[in-house]
């Protein structure tokens, strides 16, 4: 499989109230191939979310490089980086961040509308995605009228809207009960298997990690040297 994303010696720290710096990532490197599903695990505060924010260009590293399809993304200016995020990366967070005043369909279509796609075309694709995720009959409902699992599946559909090369999911089942989380696990597994979708998933959930092709663990601000290669069975 072709390399999709390569991170090299990424470093990130944040200022503390005492005037110092709190190091979160210290030379983190990883490679992800097209079509892979990779889980990133580690203790709370280990840097999983920080890593995903940098890989998805939501935040810039203090040092190091991130290459997407061979291009060093942080050589881009802020406007070009925003365009890159909208076009190439899909995000799913623990809390779905759906816009409460819009329907499920409108929430899913939003990334395409921001991109400048015609409304009719965006709505057709949004409806198709909701249908694929078993939510066609909920398209007109607002987030408050949906269950937690339905809201998170809407968030997955939104992440897929612009056909991104990479989906980044930060604790996507962390706010769901076990039964509802299982449904989302099946959605992710199906997307990976049927569509070759690439996922990087930060998670504490061993069941979710267990459906992934690989599990990487962050320790002391770095990806641990060992990688658990999981059976595809």
């Amino acid at each position: 499989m072709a390399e999709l994303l390569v991170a090299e010696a990424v470093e990130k720290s944040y200022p503390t109230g005492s005037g110092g710096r709190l190091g979160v990532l210290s030379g983190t490197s990883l490679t992800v191939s097209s079509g892979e599903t990779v889980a990133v695990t580690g203790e709370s505060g280990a840097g999983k979310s920080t890593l995903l924010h940098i890989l998805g260009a939501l935040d810039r590293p203090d040092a190091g490089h991130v290459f997407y399809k061979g291009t060093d993304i942080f050589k881009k200016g802020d406007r070009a980086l925003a365009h890159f995020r909208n076009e190439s990366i899909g995000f799913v967070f623990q809390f779905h961040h759906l816009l409460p005043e819009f329907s499920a369909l409108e929430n899913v279509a939003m990334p395409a509308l921001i991109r400048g796609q015609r409304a009719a075309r965006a709505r057709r694709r949004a409806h198709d995605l909701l249908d694929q995720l078993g939510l066609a009959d909920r398209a007109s409902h607002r987030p408050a009228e949906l269950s937690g699992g339905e809201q998170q599946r809407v968030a997955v559909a939104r992440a897929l809207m612009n056909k991104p090369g990479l989906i980044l999911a930060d604790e996507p089942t962390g706010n769901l009960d076990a039964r509802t989380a299982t449904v989302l696990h099946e959605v992710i597994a199906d997307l990976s298997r049927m569509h070759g979708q690439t996922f990087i998933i930060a998670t504490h959930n061993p069941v979710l990690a267990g459906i992934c092709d690989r599990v990487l663990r962050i320790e002391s601000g770095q990806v641990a040297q060992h990688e658990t290669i999981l059976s595809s069975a």
Side-chain angles (χ1 to χ4, degrees), residues 181-220:
T182 298
V183 173
L184 191 60
H185 298 166
E186 293 170 353
V187 166
I188 291 171
D190 287 346
L191 288 169
S192 176
R193 182 177 63 253
M194 297 174 64
H195 302 290
Q197 185 65 59
T198 307
F199 283 88
I200 302 177
I201 306 169
T203 185
H204 284 102
N205 189 317
V207 178
L208 179 54
I211 70 170
C212 296
D213 300 314
R214 291 191 290 149
V215 179
L216 309 181
R217 183 172 177 83
I218 294 185
E219 297 175 356
S220 302

Side-chain angles (χ1 to χ4, degrees), residues 4-10 54-57 59-78 80-81 84:
L4 179 69
L5 184 81
V6 178
E8 294 181 350
V10 170
I54 290 173
L55 296 180
D59 200 1
R60 290 181 180 267
D62 299 330
H65 303 275
V66 175
F67 297 91
Y68 181 85
K69 295 184 178 180
T71 297
D72 189 340
I73 65 173
F74 291 112
K75 290 188 181 243
K76 299 176 183 287
D78 289 345
L81 207 56
F84 164 77

Side-chain angles (χ1 to χ4, degrees), residues 110-154:
M110 195 66 65
L113 297 176
I114 291 171
R115 190 179 179 181
Q117 191 173 109
R118 295 181 64 178
R121 181 180 176 189
R123 290 176 67 87
R124 283 195 300 272
R125 173 157 172 78
H127 190 277
D128 287 346
L129 286 168
L130 288 172
D131 189 30
Q132 289 176 35
L133 295 177
L135 293 171
D137 61 339
R138 309 292 276 167
S140 63
H141 290 67
R142 293 186 179 183
E145 300 171 305
L146 304 174
S147 69
E150 288 171 338
Q151 290 173 3
Q152 200 62 309
R153 277 186 284 160
V154 171

Side-chain angles (χ1 to χ4, degrees), residues 172-184:
T173 62
N175 199 39
L176 304 177
D177 61 70
R179 182 177 178 181
T180 306
T182 298
V183 173
L184 191 60

